[in-house]
């Protein structure tokens, strides 16, 4: 885990999320505490539990984005789950333990990508050698169907190694082909390569029993030999396919699994969204089921062991961040045990008009920057004036206040309507420049402005 101080973490989050300083400070401290915990001796380290966070605020104010960016900052395994997707034990549907299994899967992907990147240069060299061999000796051949069946497990019974390239050192054009391949001069030429068949999405088994991460491929992957097929691709594409195949051979899957489990257990972040939807509001009806989901989530948050196909996963040190709008229910409507497991509570602020203006321009992935880059690909230049941006922010704020408050997502709706004509006819406007000022905004969004009741803002 990188040694980011809380101040640095907040600064990094400021590049993508506007406002919400209290929430950023809370997650920054929670992340820093993980780094501090890693510095402790093993005996005391086990005693330090993460301080889980519950975020309260309307949709579109940055709850999910704060958690997602936090995980990305330190390359920690991260999963986002909806509390409403889970069911109480005994009902048909996803069980709560699946969130932990999803976290492990994410962790394995992260670690696997890291390991592959470490050996990828060597894998590319091996891939180039295979392509050279194909160019000189012809396509790779499948093993005969009547081969010794034990070869799939113990290797070929023929001890003679394939040294065809070495035997053909006297071929005059081998050096030329090798140089052209190295200098990438024949990237568009087609070659026939032998690759492992990719299987379609496996059929899930035993979902009702909580074993939703088991499938036929997992059960038989270590028993049945992998099938191969011939594919005709360009040399450029062959490089990627064969390099990935060679890299897979060079990494130790067992080592990856053990590292990934450790990473998930000590660095994993699970974001539970819509937790307010499972808060009970009275003692009857469907609320009983809501409380059942809370009771099932409780042991995972408290710290338990979840079984997965990679082995047991301890949840004691996973950081849980829960979030909800809490329009109808309140945090206090959650069962007391759940409340106790989320000691840090943060209320996120509604977005102001100034916040909307900043969201449009300041973040690295700001919406205005996105639209500029998108239309630039078709030769159309967009120039947003300051008064134009202010008007967009004002309309977004007023529409949110008058109708449903959907936070920053309102800007997507407004900008799409504002730039619809330009986006649709972009191919006809090649080389043109459009200035998006207050006048342009008011003309295009006249209908929306007319629907806003401004009387409530007049003193």
């Amino acid at each position: 885990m990188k040694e980011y101080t809380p101040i640095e973490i907040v600064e990094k989050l400021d590049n993508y999320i506007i406002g919400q300083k209290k929430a950023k400070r809370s997650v920054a401290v929670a992340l820093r505490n993980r780094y501090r915990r890693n510095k402790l001796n093993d005996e005391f380290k086990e005693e330090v539990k993460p301080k889980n966070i519950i975020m309260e605020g309307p949709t579109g104010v940055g709850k999910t984005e704060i958690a997602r960016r936090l995980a990305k900052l330190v390359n920690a395994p991260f999963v986002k789950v909806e509390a409403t997707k889970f069911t109480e034990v005994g009902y048909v549907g996803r069980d709560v333990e699946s969130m932990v299994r999803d976290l492990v899967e994410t962790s394995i992907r992260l670690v696997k990508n890291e390991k592959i990147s470490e050996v990828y240069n060597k894998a590319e060299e091996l891939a180039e050698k295979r392509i050279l061999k194909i160019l000189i000796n012809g396509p790779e051949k499948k093993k005969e169907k009547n081969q010794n069946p034990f070869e799939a497990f113990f290797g070929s019974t023929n001890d003679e190694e394939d040294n065809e390239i070495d035997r053909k050192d006297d071929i005059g054009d081998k050096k030329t082909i090798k140089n052209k391949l190295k200098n990438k001069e024949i990237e568009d030429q087609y070659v026939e390569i032998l690759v492992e068949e990719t299987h379609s999405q496996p059929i899930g088994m035993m979902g009702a029993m909580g074993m939703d991460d088991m499938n036929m491929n997992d059960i038989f992957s270590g028993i049945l030999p992998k099938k191969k097929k011939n594919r005709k691709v360009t040399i450029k594409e062959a490089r990627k396919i064969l390099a990935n195949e060679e890299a897979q051979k060079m990494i130790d899957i067992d080592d990856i699994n053990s590292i990934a489990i450790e990473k998930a257990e000590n660095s994993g972040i699970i974001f539970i969204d819509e937790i307010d939807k499972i808060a009970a509001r009275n003692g009857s009806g469907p609320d009983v089921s809501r409380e059942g989901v809370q009771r099932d989530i409780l042991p995972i948050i408290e710290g338990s062991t979840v079984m997965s196909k990679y082995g047991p996963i301890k949840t004691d040190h996973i950081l849980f961040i829960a979030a909800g709008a809490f329009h109808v229910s309140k945090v206090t409507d959650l069962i007391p045990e759940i409340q106790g497991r989320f000691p840090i509570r943060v209320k996120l602020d509604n977005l102001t008009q100034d916040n909307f203006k900043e969201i449009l321009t300041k973040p690295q992935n700001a919406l205005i920057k996105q639209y500029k880059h998108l239309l630039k690909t078709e030769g159309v230049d967009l120039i947003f004036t300051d008064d134009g941006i202010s008007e967009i922010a004002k309309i977004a704020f007023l529409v949110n206040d008058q109708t449903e408050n959907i936070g920053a997502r309102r800007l997507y709706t407004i900008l799409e309507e504002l730039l619809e004509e330009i986006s649709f006819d972009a191919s006809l406007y090649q080389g043109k420049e459009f200035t998006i000022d207050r006048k342009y905004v008011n003309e295009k969004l006249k209908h929306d402005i007319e629907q806003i009741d401004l009387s409530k803002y007049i003193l």
Side-chain angles (χ1 to χ4, degrees):
M1 189 174 290
K2 293 182 181 177
E3 299 178 25
Y4 287 118
T5 64
I7 294 169
E8 290 171 335
I9 292 167
V10 171
E11 285 174 355
K12 295 282 185 184
L13 292 175
D14 283 340
N15 291 331
Y16 296 96
I17 301 130
I18 298 300
Q20 315 303 354
K21 292 195 181 298
K22 185 167 174 52
K24 289 175 186 172
R25 288 168 69 93
S26 296
V27 297
V29 170
L31 193 66
R32 184 63 176 181
N33 280 339
R34 285 192 152 182
Y35 168 73
R36 292 165 180 157
R37 176 179 169 268
N38 286 336
K39 295 285 185 181
L40 302 174
N41 61 57
D42 290 340
E43 185 181 348
F44 203 73
K45 189 190 289 186
E46 274 301 306
E47 302 302 321
V48 179
K49 305 291 182 183
K51 307 300 181 289
N52 298 322
I53 302 165
I54 191 162
M55 296 183 183
E56 182 183 350
T59 183
V61 295
K63 301 188 294 292
T64 307
E65 194 66 9
I66 287 172
R68 197 190 307 277
R69 293 290 175 184
L70 184 76
K72 197 171 183 181
L73 186 63
V74 291
N75 202 30
F78 172 84
V79 292
K80 174 183 179 287
V81 297
E82 306 283 338
T84 51
K85 294 287 176 70
F86 299 113
T87 59
E88 191 177 350
V89 169
Y91 292 87
V92 175
R94 291 203 85 191
D95 68 292
V96 293
E97 291 186 348
S98 63
M99 69 172 78
V100 180
R101 298 190 194 104
D102 290 344
L103 183 72
V104 175
E105 293 284 357
T106 303
S107 184
I108 283 170
R109 280 196 297 273
L110 280 174
V111 175
K112 194 174 183 180
N113 288 338
E114 286 172 9
K115 294 292 183 183
I116 284 176
S117 64
E118 289 173 11
V119 299
Y120 201 73
N121 288 339
K122 179 65 178 172
E124 283 183 317
E125 290 175 17
L126 294 172
E128 192 168 286
K129 285 181 181 177
R130 278 180 67 179
I131 294 168
L132 179 63
K133 183 177 175 181
I134 292 166
L135 289 172
I136 294 172
N137 300 327
E140 297 171 315
K141 293 180 181 178
K142 296 182 189 177
K143 291 182 180 179
E144 295 298 325
K145 287 184 180 179
N146 59 355
Q147 68 173 16
N148 184 340
F150 293 101
E151 286 184 16
F153 303 100
F154 305 111
S156 174
T157 52
N158 186 358
D159 293 328
E160 184 186 350
E161 294 184 1
D162 189 355
N163 291 319
E164 274 192 85
I165 289 185
D166 296 330
R167 296 193 202 106
K168 293 204 171 192
D169 281 342
D170 57 336
I171 296 177
D173 63 348
K174 178 185 172 181
K175 191 174 181 181
T176 307
I177 294 171
K178 191 174 182 179
N179 287 336
K180 282 185 177 181
L181 192 63
K182 192 172 185 179
N183 298 328
K184 299 186 177 179
E185 294 174 15
I186 50 174
E187 294 295 278
D188 294 331
Q189 184 176 322
Y190 279 85
V191 289
E192 196 173 296
I193 60 173
L194 197 63
V195 295
E196 289 178 1
E197 284 188 18
T198 53
H199 297 280
S200 59
Q201 185 66 28
I203 301 171
M205 293 179 65
M206 308 178 194
M209 291 185 283
M211 301 296 285
D212 55 351
D213 59 348
M214 290 186 67
N215 56 66
M216 294 296 289
N217 285 353
D218 296 323
I219 295 169
F220 296 111
S221 60
I223 302 172
L224 300 176
K226 291 179 179 177
K227 292 182 180 179
K228 295 201 170 187
K229 64 176 181 180
N230 287 89
R231 278 187 66 189
K232 203 165 189 177
V233 295
T234 61
I235 289 176
K236 184 179 181 179
E237 195 178 345
R239 284 180 190 276
K240 292 179 186 176
I241 295 168
L242 297 179
N244 284 330
E245 200 174 288
E246 293 297 329
Q248 296 280 353
K249 294 176 187 174
M250 295 166 70
I251 58 177
D252 184 349
I253 296 297
D254 291 333
D255 184 43
I256 286 171
N257 290 349
S258 62
I259 293 170
I261 287 172
E262 193 273 335
K263 193 179 177 83
E265 288 179 338
N266 294 290
S267 305
I269 299 173
I270 294 180
F271 183 80
I272 306 174
D273 203 6
E274 308 289 358
I275 198 165
D276 57 316
K277 304 299 188 295
I278 60 167
R281 293 186 292 277
N282 52 59
S284 61
D287 290 340
V288 176
S289 177
R290 289 193 183 108
E291 281 197 5
V293 176
Q294 290 185 62
R295 286 193 297 270
D296 288 348
I297 289 176
L298 183 61
I300 293 175
I301 298 171
E302 284 181 330
S304 59
T305 302
V306 175
M307 291 306 299
S308 78
K309 62 189 176 189
Y310 305 105
I313 316 297
K314 289 177 69 180
T315 67
D316 299 64
H317 301 289
I318 293 172
L319 176 64
F320 290 90
I321 301 176
F326 291 99
H327 290 313
V328 180
S329 58
K330 303 186 291 294
V331 175
T332 50
D333 289 328
L334 294 166
I335 60 175
E337 294 87 350
I338 287 278
Q339 293 180 51
R341 288 296 164 180
F342 287 95
I344 302 172
R345 297 182 192 175
V346 184
K347 191 172 178 63
L348 281 80
D349 305 316
N350 286 331
L351 298 174
T352 65
Q353 188 172 321
D354 289 336
N355 288 150
F356 279 118
K357 189 173 179 181
E358 289 181 87
I359 289 166
L360 285 168
T361 54
K362 278 193 175 181
Q364 289 185 11
N365 60 341
L367 278 176
I368 281 178
K369 294 175 187 175
Q370 291 180 31
Y371 278 100
K372 279 184 174 180
H373 286 302
L374 284 170
L375 288 167
K376 186 71 175 174
T377 60
E378 300 211 43
V380 178
D381 286 313
L382 293 179
I383 297 171
F384 287 84
T385 64
D386 193 56
D387 65 334
I389 293 168
S390 297
E391 193 67 16
I392 295 168
K394 178 184 173 184
I395 292 169
F397 174 74
L398 293 178
V399 173
N400 264 356
D401 193 72
Q402 286 279 311
T403 59
E404 196 70 35
N405 183 7
I406 59 171
R409 295 186 180 95
R410 181 68 66 189
L411 292 171
Y412 288 90
T413 310
I414 288 174
L415 280 172
E416 275 298 316
E417 190 172 342
L418 180 68
L419 301 172
E420 182 186 20
E421 186 186 332
I422 299 173
S423 293
F424 187 81
D425 295 323
S427 56
L428 305 175
Y429 296 143
Q430 205 162 15
K432 286 194 175 182
E433 186 178 277
F434 290 89
T435 301
I436 313 298
D437 55 12
R438 177 174 288 161
K439 184 182 176 184
Y440 184 92
V441 173
N442 286 331
E443 282 177 4
K444 292 295 177 185
L445 302 177
K446 192 185 296 180
H447 178 68
D448 292 329
I449 296 168
E450 286 172 355
Q451 288 188 325
I452 298 173
D453 180 14
L454 295 177
S455 61
K456 67 180 284 186
Y457 300 101
I458 299 171
L459 296 174

